[in-house]
Structure formats: structure tokens, C-alpha cells
Amino acid sequence: MLALLLSPFCLQAQDLDGDLDGDLDFSDLLGSQSQMIPSPQPESTSPGNWIFEGEIRPSVWYPMKSPHDLKTTNRMDLFVEKQHRNTTFAVRARADYQNINDDEGTEADIRELYLTQRWQAGRTHVSLSAGRKILYWGKGDEIRPMDRINPEDMTSFLYYDKNDRKTGIPGLFLNTVMPQGLRVEAFWSPVFVGSSLPEPDSYFSPSRMEAFRKAGGLIRNADEDWQWEADASLGLRVAFPLRHADLSLYAWKGKDPMPTLKVSRVIREIPLPTPPYVMDIPPTPTELSYFHSNALVFGTDLELTAGSFVFRAEGAWQAEGHHERVNFEKNPSLLNRFTNGLAEKQKGEFLIGMDRNDLFVRNLFVNVQYMAVLIHDHEEALEADAFTQGFSFTLKYSLLDSRISGMWRVFTWLNSQDRQHQIELSWKPARNTLFTLGAFFYDGGTEKDLFGQFREKDFSFLRVGVLF
């Protein structure tokens, strides 16, 4: 039976690594500079008021399951900033070369390009930016339910963390810092930009999608990128400083950059060479199509410092635009009721976590998170459970003045018992150079599960990061 597959990060909460607005950046804790473009550089690299920063990150990786074809993923990031009094111009660009598909490809993208003007009125600071900009919402480690506004490069999503996958949205961005630390952030984006998905037969294309194609099914991409829509994306964040804590409230309405798959064509009969010349069959999908739903999401997050511990909580409620897949693979007749194979439901996501640096010994960092997803008004016809639970665990340790560091990170969903393991060992021979040897392992679950569908995609990698 032909099956419908939703891209793995389309339905679940979004991802890891924080950075701006107080998000946790593991590389800062361990003195590593491998993941994000660095900030401080020697004065010689910033003549006048110009700032030039970047990273070259070549890497090779080896699939552990047949076929063992050596792959390469190479990336160059560049950040340029010019400041003049209260005005800032910034550009963040990226170039990629990958051979993960049958055809080798090089791509370039302007991730950010904006102009910012700042004012001060008494004790109130205001900044207005125009252009393409990346937003950083939420407090969680890689899973942040509210951090879903920016499109992402999903072509090699198993290899990169969320902040590495994100690219900016075009629009106007207003930030205000008021007395006592009250912060208001608002944006309006009139142009829709969707996420980039893995190509057919790509190493990172989910197995259920490839099985559908090989069975003769057709998958159509959404053709909505760079379309002008007055309400393509609107968002508001209000942050309240509390004693030893920071509380934020969020609201976002817009077209979801992460697409969802729907059934766009089915057959209910097949031809016969003899009378009656046709035979009725259960509804069978022959074509799937990506589409971007119109979402309405409300959320909140809290970050609390208690001595050496940092506690984080985040929740989101999607009132509109969330679609759950019905289990028509098991019961094809469901397609008579749910003609596109989906049911729109409200969804709640919750995360609570704790992290601690220097736990037991110096430079030992631990992060633990509990995650839950609730489908409101759940029906038996849905493929997903009404309530899904999971957790993540991250352990990092560095020694020799952070020249050597190691990491183990695991994500697991308890309902399906599918897991992702990430292991890394890094060596920093110079201030601007980092070598990393690592691996990703997937186990448990089935082809229907978030990580289970990648059980045959285990791979190891060697990555070099050079900052300039």
C-alpha cells in the first residue's frame, strides 16, 4: 500500500543550540567555536568600523550501512557588518558544496541582509531593522516549540543543528527595551519563503518517501516561495525580567515555512482487459503534494537561574494550521472521509529542562529535557498518539584548556522508543581551528517514527572548522 510520509521535523517541535537572547550556546561553555560564526576577532580583521568574520567548514562522512559511499558536505559562512553612529548594515552569507545527491551541487544563500537604525528616548531604546533577518525564539536545547518562524535548509538536516539550518525572513523588525528591562519585539514579513527539503534519492530523504516514489507515486513540491502576502508572517514577543528569571510571551500568525504532505490524488478502480473492464479497489494514493498551512501559535518560555543550575520551560499552543496524518495505510477507507489524508487539530507542546556546568568536576556540562506533545480532540483514525513524551540528554566535557572536548547527546521518544545518538570528539590545535570526529546513530521505532525512519542512515564524519 502506498503510504503518506510527512517530513520528520514538519510535525514535531523544532530544534537545539541557542544563541542570541540568552539561549544556551554549548560552544561558549566549552570554549569551542565550531558551530556558529565567531564574534570577537582581532582588530586587524575589522578595519575602521567594518567587521569581517567567517568560517570554512569542510567535512567528509561515511555511511555505516550499505552502500558505503563516501560523502562530503562543505560550507563557508561569512558575516560582514558596518556601523556608523546609530546605523548598522549587516550581511550573513553562506555557500555549500555537497555530493549527497546523484548530482553534485553548489548553492549560495544570503541568510541575512538588513539595515538597522537605533534611537534612544530617555531610558527607552528602540531599533528598527529592514531586510532579511534570522529570529531566535525559545529557550530549549535544540527543541524549541516557538522557534519555527524562519525557513530552514533541510537538505542535510541530520548533520546540522537548527541554528545552522535557519535562514532569514524578509520584513520589518522592531525591538524596544524599556526601563526595568521590559523588552518588546515585533516583526512583519510580507514575503513568504519556505524551507528547502531533501532532493529525491538524497541520503537524507526519509525512507517512507522513497518507498512511495519507488512504488510509482508522485510527490509534488510546494510552489509558494518568494510570494508577496500582506500577512505572510506577523509576530510579537514580550519579555519580562523577573528576580533571577526571564519570562517571555509569544504570538505568531503566518504561513508555516515547514511544509506538510497531503494526498492530492487517489485511484479507486483499476482497468481490466475483459468486462466489466474496471475493478473497484480501496482508495490508494498515487500523488502527494507539499503545502504550507496558515498557522496561529501562542507560546511562553521561562528561564530561571538557581545557584549553579539553570532551569528552562517552554510551551506552545497551535490553535490553527496543524495537520495530523490519518492512518489510511492501515485503513484505506479513511480517505473517503479525510480526502487529503490529514485532519486539522489543535496541538500543544511543552518542554522543561535543566542544565548545569561544572557538575561534579570542572568543565563537565549536563543538560536534561522532558518533552511532551498533546493532540487536542484526538481521534482513533489518527496515526499519532494523543499524548507523546520524550526526553533529551546532553553531556559535554572539555580538558586541557578546552583544546580537547567530547559530547554525547541523545533524543528519544518514549511512545515509539526511537532514538537519535550523536557522539563527537573535538581537538582544537589552534585558536581558530577545530577538528571534530563524530557519528550519528538511529535505533528503535518503525518507518513511521521520527527517528525510526532513519535506522539505515547511521553515519560517521570528520569535520574541520577554520575561523577567519
Side-chain angles (χ1 to χ4, degrees):
M1 177 62 63
L2 297 177
L4 172 65
L5 172 72
L6 296 177
S7 233
F9 291 112
C10 296
L11 294 180
Q12 303 297 338
Q14 312 295 315
D15 295 11
L16 306 113
D17 252 67
D19 107 339
L20 304 180
D21 294 329
D23 276 6
L24 178 65
D25 187 345
F26 293 136
S27 61
D28 288 341
L29 291 172
L30 297 178
S32 166
Q33 305 180 67
S34 62
Q35 296 299 324
M36 302 298 294
I37 293 180
S39 41
Q41 290 291 323
E43 293 183 2
S44 59
T45 65
S46 304
N49 292 325
W50 287 92
I51 296 176
F52 296 90
E53 302 172 350
E55 179 182 12
I56 298 175
R57 198 188 314 174
S59 58
V60 294
W61 44 279
Y62 177 76
M64 298 183 184
K65 306 262 177 94
S66 179
H68 303 286
D69 298 327
L70 198 65
K71 307 288 185 178
T72 180
T73 300
N74 306 289
R75 171 164 290 180
M76 182 179 71
D77 286 301
L78 177 66
F79 178 72
V80 180
E81 182 180 273
K82 167 67 174 178
Q83 295 189 15
H84 179 70
R85 297 182 179 177
N86 293 327
T87 304
T88 301
F89 172 75
V91 180
R92 190 183 302 272
R94 165 172 293 168
D96 283 303
Y97 168 77
Q98 302 182 107
N99 69 343
I100 57 177
N101 304 323
D102 291 337
D103 298 325
E104 300 179 3
T106 301
E107 294 185 358
D109 183 28
I110 302 295
R111 300 178 66 206
E112 291 188 292
L113 174 63
Y114 60 88
L115 187 70
T116 299
Q117 181 66 42
R118 295 177 297 276
W119 299 272
Q120 181 174 353
R123 298 173 59 193
T124 299
H125 299 262
V126 180
S127 69
L128 178 65
S129 300
R132 192 176 191 185
K133 196 171 184 180
I134 297 175
L135 299 176
Y136 300 89
W137 280 14
K139 302 292 185 184
D141 169 25
E142 192 66 11
I143 294 182
R144 299 190 291 272
M146 284 305 303
D147 194 5
R148 50 182 302 171
I149 298 164
N150 293 96
E152 299 180 31
D153 180 4
M154 303 294 287
T155 57
S156 51
F157 67 95
L158 293 178
Y159 186 63
Y160 292 111
D161 286 345
K162 184 177 182 68
N163 279 353
D164 259 348
R165 300 195 302 263
K166 289 164 64 172
T167 192
I169 57 173
L172 298 176
F173 308 86
L174 178 67
N175 287 274
T176 304
V177 180
M178 301 179 185
Q180 283 76 52
L182 177 67
R183 304 188 303 278
V184 178
E185 174 185 341
F187 73 90
W188 169 59
S189 175
V191 180
F192 174 73
V193 182
S195 297
S196 302
L197 299 179
E199 295 290 334
D201 296 324
S202 163
Y203 187 82
F204 294 103
S205 182
S207 56
R208 291 181 74 187
M209 183 181 298
E210 293 307 314
F212 180 81
R213 287 193 179 98
K214 291 177 180 178
L218 177 65
I219 298 179
R220 295 187 180 276
N221 291 326
D223 187 19
E224 302 174 78
D225 278 1
W226 295 102
Q227 287 189 0
W228 177 277
E229 298 187 25
D231 58 349
S233 194
L234 298 163
L236 175 68
R237 174 191 181 193
V238 181
F240 305 89
L242 306 175
R243 182 177 175 84
H244 304 301
D246 186 80
L247 172 69
S248 295
L249 302 177
Y250 300 87
W252 172 62
K253 178 179 176 61
K255 185 168 285 190
D256 196 335
M258 195 68 70
T260 304
L261 273 175
K262 66 179 180 180
V263 175
S264 52
R265 182 180 298 171
V266 300
I267 57 173
R268 290 181 167 83
E269 57 184 30
I270 57 175
L272 295 176
T274 59
Y277 297 112
V278 294
M279 181 178 68
D280 292 335
I281 62 172
T284 302
T286 60
E287 180 182 281
L288 308 178
S289 298
Y290 281 109
F291 75 101
H292 298 273
S293 62
N294 293 309
L296 176 62
V297 186
F298 302 96
T300 183
D301 65 40
L302 174 69
E303 183 176 83
L304 172 67
T305 302
S308 300
F309 291 89
V310 178
F311 297 91
R312 294 180 175 86
E314 184 175 349
W317 183 262
Q318 183 164 350
E320 298 176 6
H322 174 71
H323 296 84
E324 282 289 338
R325 181 174 59 210
V326 299
N327 197 359
F328 61 82
E329 183 179 4
K330 181 179 180 181
N331 182 7
S333 65
L334 289 172
L335 288 173
N336 294 321
R337 177 186 171 195
F338 305 94
T339 56
N340 63 359
L342 301 173
E344 185 172 5
K345 298 292 180 180
Q346 294 184 336
K347 180 181 74 169
E349 298 174 76
F350 175 74
L351 178 146
I352 184 169
M354 178 275 296
D355 56 66
R356 166 74 189 272
N357 198 26
D358 295 335
L359 180 65
F360 305 128
V361 295
R362 188 172 180 271
N363 291 335
L364 177 64
F365 172 84
V366 175
N367 173 276
V368 181
Q369 293 184 143
Y370 168 80
M371 309 164 290
V373 179
L374 171 68
I375 305 301
H376 179 63
D377 195 21
H378 185 272
E379 299 181 59
E380 187 177 349
L382 300 183
E383 191 172 273
D385 294 335
F387 186 69
T388 305
Q389 304 178 80
F391 76 89
S392 69
F393 175 79
T394 302
L395 180 70
K396 279 205 167 191
Y397 180 67
S398 65
L399 66 160
L400 299 179
D401 196 24
S402 297
R403 291 188 177 275
I404 297 178
S405 60
M407 181 192 75
W408 172 48
R409 174 185 286 155
V410 58
F411 289 90
T412 183
W413 291 103
L414 301 178
N415 299 50
S416 51
Q417 290 296 308
D418 57 324
R419 290 166 292 275
Q420 178 199 61
H421 297 268
Q422 179 181 357
I423 301 174
E424 293 186 1
L425 180 63
S426 299
W427 171 50
K428 185 165 66 175
R431 180 177 178 271
N432 69 330
T433 305
L434 186 74
F435 291 84
T436 301
L437 181 66
F440 284 82
F441 302 94
Y442 299 87
D443 67 275
T446 67
E447 289 185 346
K448 297 181 179 180
D449 299 317
L450 179 63
F451 298 126
Q453 60 186 319
F454 297 105
R455 288 176 301 172
E456 303 300 316
K457 302 291 186 178
D458 298 346
F459 64 95
S460 58
F461 65 90
L462 174 63
R463 179 177 63 231
V464 181
V466 180
L467 307 176
F468 59 89

